[in-house]
Amino acid sequence: MSENEGTIRHRWWKEAVVYQIYPRSFQDSNGDGIGDIKGIVTRLDYLKGLGVDVVWLSPHFDSPNADNGYDIRDYRKVMAEFGTMADFDALLAGLKARGMRLIIDLVVNHTSDEHAWFVESRKSKDNPHRDFYIWRPGRGDGPPNDWRSYFSGSAWTLDPATGEYYLHLFADKQPDLNWENDHVRAEVYDLMRFWLDKGVDGFRMDVIPMISKEQDFPDYPPEHRERTEYYHAVGPRLHEFLQEMNREVLSKYDVMTVGEAFGVTPEQTPDLVDERRGELNMIFNFDAVRINNDGRRYQPWTLPELKAVYTRLEERTDAHCWNTVFLSNHDNPRLVSSFGDDEEPWRVPSAKLLATMLMTLRGTPFVYQGDELGMTNYPFTAVEQYDDIAVRNAWKAEVLTGRVAAADFLADMARTSRDHSRTPMQWSAAPNGGFTTAQKAWLAVNPNAATINAEAALADPGSIYHHYARLAGLRRSHPALIYGDFVDVAPEHPRLFAYTRTLDDEAYVVLLNFSRQPVDVDLPGIEIGDLVLGNLAPPADARRLAGWEARIHRRR
Ligand code: ISL
Ligand code: CA
């Protein structure tokens, strides 16, 4: 906050632009329809040209893919479909050679049920690995408590071998590790060292706030029955575990960490990221990305609500904390379809507007693959077209039981499904968007690849891709856009997001028109200054924004 501004410490990960790669959907190199590491290696110059500093690679580990790699069978092995350890090493070397860094996904709330630890654990009650997971006897004829899986149904599955239930907050093929067990924590720290010693630059930590569980396993408290993530994210030993992890491992390396803080409120954020606590560098707060859906149902949203999220976060995190900025990832629909306007001719300007916002809000920006092309949601119409376990399980639990009408379910999914972001990258107008030479990609390519693709974007200086590159360059060379104070100067305006970023005597005004209609900029007491970068041809009237216009001005 302003009074502490001078004390903010400069860190490479605060200055970085991070790009998320979902390897299954990025680039296939061997024609099997599945993206792979060799494919990524062929696209490193594309990333460098975009202005990427850090790549976050979604899970690349050996996995039976019940949840596309978020169910890990062997933490020290590369998924065969993605390639070999030599391929991974080549990726790391190729990134470093271009001055980029790599962070990988740390998925240690749970493993796959095919992990050797779980295979052992389920064998008998006295197996040495029994206590690596969370086993409890049932209550009456049912599970131990009322906890629900995020992929529908109970979070407990009865295992016939021993007649006990194991806990899985996600799919039944994703049993939760028992973090109370010292051996589990030691194993996790060890696998972290394995990858850090290879030279990776940090971790994105999957659902990390959920690792600690209340040991008497009570039913949900009434206030958390609906949004259970706010219960699971505040387990009693969370901070103790993270401080131990930091002491034992992270503090020994110059790395960055970002926690996927599903269920953490802005008020709780400093507990995880205040640098004096020695836990994480930053977290993903879900308030913005989930403003129009709860992960399942679509809900209408307004711009003042979205703006308020950023102000609330800003007010709760002082100079010892750092935030992230993201509005999409592999668990959410496409950026331009969710927050912009994916109808032509608004798609390009609105995608550039969103890029402007990501790169100029206060925090490390995370760009999800394909958003730099303005890729849109896929026109899904039938349940068979979806791959995601979340959709398939919810269909069974809600539609096949008659609780939700098929048409309503499909209408929600057409707006909220995770698969929108998982359709393959659109590299060119070639069949399957140039993603694969196979007849069929693992998930259908959006038919609009014929026009929305990287080849076209690279050739067009006015493309969304090149706008990202310009924004990344601007951010990199102007500390006020990184470390500067953030103030929303028109919080109530229904269509205009206008904010200042100020550091010492350098000040920017960012103006974003979130609508098709022009907006008059009337900001009493705010001098706008000179135009630095906009998404449309320079305006005739500096005080009027055209539909979806986005501008960065610099005050003298
Ligand atoms: O997208 C969701 C449900 O459809 C979220 O609830 C999501 O599961 C939650 O944000 C946690 O996400 C992470 O952990 C999951 C994995 O499926 C997601 O891909 C991952 O990002 C379990 O590992
Ligand atoms: Ca492949």
Side-chain angles (χ1 to χ4, degrees), residues 67 70 110 151 170 174 204 206-207 260 262 286 290 295 330-331 390 418 422:
D67 186 21
Y70 282 92
H110 45 267
F151 296 151
F170 294 88
Q174 293 168 297
R204 173 269 188 188
D206 194 62
V207 288
E260 190 210 17
F262 185 46
F286 277 62
R290 284 289 162 86
H330 66 293
D331 291 334
R418 311 198 295 180
R422 300 177 178 187

Side-chain angles (χ1 to χ4, degrees), residues 20 22 56 58-59 66-71 105 107-110 150-151 169-171 174 204-208 210 229 260-263 286 290 293-296 329-332 388-391 413 416-418 422:
Q20 182 190 353
Y22 195 66
W56 150 29
S58 272
D67 186 21
N68 285 349
Y70 282 92
D71 48 321
D105 227 299
V107 188
V108 289
N109 174 70
H110 45 267
Y150 291 104
F151 296 151
L169 294 182
F170 294 88
Q174 293 168 297
R204 173 269 188 188
M205 301 189 186
D206 194 62
V207 288
I208 198 72
M210 298 190 174
E229 62 269 31
E260 190 210 17
F262 185 46
F286 277 62
R290 284 289 162 86
N293 73 89
D294 62 5
R296 161 70 182 81
N329 59 26
H330 66 293
D331 291 334
N332 286 282
D388 184 7
I389 186 166
V391 179
M413 287 306 147
T416 66
S417 166
R418 311 198 295 180
R422 300 177 178 187

Side-chain angles (χ1 to χ4, degrees), residues 27-37 81-82 435-436:
Q27 175 72 75
D28 178 20
S29 75
N30 63 351
D32 66 354
I34 297 172
D36 46 54
I37 297 176
E81 288 170 333
F82 292 172
F435 163 73
T436 181

Side-chain angles (χ1 to χ4, degrees), residues 44-306:
L44 297 182
D45 291 330
Y46 171 88
L47 300 178
K48 186 70 188 172
L50 185 62
V52 171
D53 301 297
V54 175
V55 167
W56 150 29
L57 188 64
S58 272
H60 64 281
F61 315 94
D62 177 45
S63 163
N65 286 306
D67 186 21
N68 285 349
Y70 282 92
D71 48 321
I72 297 173
R73 185 163 49 200
D74 185 339
Y75 288 101
R76 288 177 168 78
K77 212 169 135 197
V78 172
M79 192 187 302
E81 288 170 333
F82 292 172
T84 63
M85 192 61 89
D87 296 335
F88 180 86
D89 293 339
L91 170 63
L92 190 56
L95 285 165
K96 303 240 156 165
R98 288 167 179 80
M100 295 185 278
R101 301 188 216 230
L102 178 65
I103 66 170
I104 59 174
D105 227 299
L106 184 72
V107 188
V108 289
N109 174 70
H110 45 267
T111 68
S112 164
D113 66 338
E114 298 181 29
H115 193 292
W117 301 332
F118 192 76
V119 172
E120 283 303 310
S121 184
R122 76 190 326 174
K123 281 185 181 162
S124 67
K125 289 188 186 170
D126 56 8
N127 186 283
H129 280 90
R130 183 66 169 183
D131 200 34
F132 265 51
Y133 295 86
I134 300 166
W135 293 97
R136 288 290 181 282
R139 179 172 66 182
D141 301 333
N145 66 21
D146 67 357
W147 292 7
R148 297 194 309 270
S149 156
Y150 291 104
F151 296 151
S152 304
S154 172
W156 299 92
T157 290
L158 179 64
D159 201 43
T162 55
E164 286 192 331
Y165 289 79
Y166 66 89
L167 178 71
H168 54 90
L169 294 182
F170 294 88
D172 54 357
K173 282 186 68 64
Q174 293 168 297
D176 280 44
L177 282 166
N178 176 19
W179 275 70
E180 300 290 321
N181 182 337
D182 302 345
H183 299 291
V184 166
R185 300 202 305 282
E187 287 283 2
V188 168
Y189 304 155
D190 227 46
L191 76 90
M192 291 171 74
R193 286 185 204 104
F194 171 83
W195 291 98
L196 290 169
D197 291 340
K198 267 189 170 294
V200 308
D201 300 287
F203 301 101
R204 173 269 188 188
M205 301 189 186
D206 194 62
V207 288
I208 198 72
M210 298 190 174
I211 55 178
S212 165
K213 276 92 179 172
E214 258 187 89
Q215 290 302 298
D216 52 352
F217 294 89
D219 281 341
Y220 287 123
E223 68 274 23
H224 290 316
R225 240 170 238 152
E226 277 297 306
R227 298 292 293 265
T228 64
E229 62 269 31
Y230 294 103
Y231 171 73
H232 289 301
V234 290
R237 296 182 70 190
L238 171 63
H239 300 293
E240 177 195 334
F241 293 156
L242 288 178
Q243 286 170 18
E244 180 184 76
M245 175 194 278
N246 195 295
R247 220 170 33 241
E248 298 283 322
V249 187
L250 298 168
S251 61
K252 313 219 153 84
Y253 302 81
D254 175 25
V255 293
M256 69 170 256
T257 54
V258 51
E260 190 210 17
F262 185 46
V264 173
T265 64
E267 288 68 25
Q268 294 158 347
T269 298
D271 297 343
L272 288 159
V273 304
D274 187 313
E275 62 193 1
R276 295 165 298 187
R277 292 174 57 87
E279 297 190 19
L280 302 172
N281 295 142
M282 49 194 154
I283 60 167
F284 293 129
N285 171 279
F286 277 62
D287 293 5
V289 75
R290 284 289 162 86
I291 206 158
N292 53 18
N293 73 89
D294 62 5
R296 161 70 182 81
R297 265 166 218 89
Y298 176 80
Q299 63 208 21
W301 62 286
T302 68
L303 185 63
E305 286 165 359
L306 179 66

Side-chain angles (χ1 to χ4, degrees), residues 422-500:
R422 300 177 178 187
T423 67
M425 271 291 277
Q426 298 168 198
W427 293 108
S428 72
N432 283 316
F435 163 73
T436 181
T437 55
Q439 271 304 63
K440 239 174 114 175
W442 76 275
L443 187 64
V445 175
N446 197 310
N448 64 22
T451 51
I452 302 174
N453 62 65
E455 195 174 86
L458 287 168
D460 172 9
S463 69
I464 303 163
Y465 173 96
H466 288 300
H467 203 66
Y468 269 90
R470 282 190 284 273
L471 287 161
L474 191 69
R475 185 178 186 275
R476 179 171 305 117
S477 49
H478 297 282
L481 291 175
I482 299 169
Y483 295 107
D485 211 11
F486 160 88
V487 178
D488 181 348
V489 293
E492 308 297 335
H493 200 296
R495 294 186 289 129
L496 174 69
F497 193 5
Y499 50 90
T500 55

